[in-house]
Amino acid sequence: MSTPENDTLVIIPMYNERENARAIIEAVLSLEPLFDVLVIDDNSPDGTAAIVKELIAEHPGRVHIVERKGKLGLGTAYIAGFKWGLEHGYEYITEMDADFSHNPADLPKLRRACAEEGYDVAVGSRYVSGVNVVNWPMGRVLMSYYASAYVRLVTRMKVRDTTAGFVCYRRRVLETIELDKVRFKGYAFQIEMKFTSLKCGFTIKEVPIIFVNRVLGTSKMSSGIFSEAVFGVMRLKISSWFKKYPKAKQ
């Protein structure tokens, strides 16, 4: 729960992340300023939740878990986490992967962009200062890079890494966006959240990071997830012509 000493929550969805769970949570807990952790576990059969519960006992009040009955999609996991974070009073709510592809040491930079520089959303960006991706096959790098270029072309967003999943939100962004109306469940969820944030009048800063492909565990990326991100963009843009977006509260 948010305290005067700690107003930032890090949401980490997990499914079969036994190899990474303890290490990623402890890495986040070791940072300054303090960050709390919320794991969204989709009934991992490998015992991920049991490891998280050990850490809850070791770090009372700092580690939390929401257990779901099965794999319900990345977007719905983050929506559940956002709602939990708002209910528990956090001012800054960050999303990141469990596999160290996002470096926990970058979390203070994302928070600083919102808490000190005044931005509403901070995106850990792979492409704002070149292509900063390590250990990805070249085909996947090109697919990701040009997918983001395609999204920028269609949506006119001035965000270079539109599919980034390492993002910090001020609570007022998540209070304003109608979370129950977010339609996408896969990686298009990341595009929709950034697009909607801008449509609601919020500001976004891209913070350069280095993205490292996972070493342990199995990637959750699939062609179906990626296709949603590509082909859903046109629907998102067209629907925006007829949708009235809630405005940022001052």
Side-chain angles (χ1 to χ4, degrees):
M1 185 172 295
S2 177
T3 67
E5 295 77 25
N6 183 12
D7 57 5
T8 308
L9 179 70
V10 180
I11 303 168
I12 310 178
M14 293 190 184
Y15 182 77
N16 286 350
E17 292 290 354
R18 182 181 181 86
E19 299 97 329
N20 294 304
R22 175 172 285 274
I24 192 72
I25 292 172
E26 289 182 339
V28 173
L29 295 179
S30 70
L31 297 169
E32 293 286 347
L34 298 179
F35 294 82
D36 287 352
V37 174
L38 172 66
V39 170
I40 311 294
D41 181 74
D42 278 359
N43 197 26
S44 301
D46 72 342
T48 295
I51 294 172
V52 176
K53 289 174 182 177
E54 291 175 2
L55 287 160
I56 290 172
E58 294 170 19
H59 303 278
R62 298 287 312 283
V63 182
H64 311 274
I65 189 170
V66 170
E67 295 181 89
R68 307 198 300 173
K69 294 181 178 180
K71 294 183 72 174
L72 302 175
L74 183 70
T76 65
Y78 279 129
I79 293 296
F82 292 156
K83 290 180 177 180
W84 192 98
L86 292 174
E87 290 169 1
H88 289 81
Y90 290 92
E91 182 62 33
Y92 306 100
I93 299 177
T94 302
E95 53 179 53
M96 70 179 295
D97 291 346
D99 59 7
F100 284 95
S101 55
H102 302 140
N103 187 345
D106 289 325
L107 283 165
K109 293 193 296 185
L110 295 184
R111 183 188 180 278
R112 191 178 307 122
C114 293
E116 299 178 18
E117 299 175 29
Y119 290 91
D120 298 305
V121 181
V123 176
S125 177
R126 298 163 289 186
Y127 306 130
V128 72
S129 60
V131 179
N132 294 312
V133 177
V134 177
N135 292 337
W136 258 8
M138 183 54 66
R140 186 167 174 184
V141 173
L142 292 174
M143 181 173 65
S144 174
Y145 182 83
Y146 285 110
S148 279
Y150 162 76
V151 173
R152 293 198 307 274
L153 178 66
V154 173
T155 64
R156 302 299 180 183
M157 281 195 290
K158 294 180 180 180
V159 176
R160 296 199 64 82
D161 196 350
T162 55
T163 60
F166 194 20
V167 186
C168 179
Y169 295 93
R170 294 175 66 102
R171 72 173 291 119
R172 72 185 194 126
V173 178
L174 302 176
E175 287 175 333
T176 301
I177 290 176
E178 298 170 306
L179 293 174
D180 288 331
K181 294 183 180 180
V182 175
R183 68 168 66 179
F184 292 117
K185 294 183 178 180
Y187 279 77
F189 166 82
Q190 305 293 359
I191 301 168
E192 184 174 4
M193 286 295 295
K194 297 176 186 69
F195 182 76
T196 304
S197 295
L198 290 170
K199 284 291 187 180
C200 291
F202 294 109
T203 57
I204 296 179
K205 178 179 182 178
E206 288 189 86
V207 177
I209 64 162
I210 296 175
F211 181 95
V212 180
N213 194 29
R214 72 159 59 232
V215 175
L216 297 174
T218 304
S219 174
K220 310 306 186 294
M221 175 67 79
S222 69
S223 58
I225 288 173
F226 193 80
S227 295
E228 181 198 55
V230 173
F231 297 110
V233 171
M234 191 62 72
R235 298 197 305 273
L236 180 66
K237 178 63 175 179
I238 292 172
S239 67
S240 74
W241 296 339
F242 309 99
K243 181 176 179 179
K244 184 176 181 180
Y245 290 87
K247 292 303 176 184
K249 300 174 183 176
Q250 299 302 318

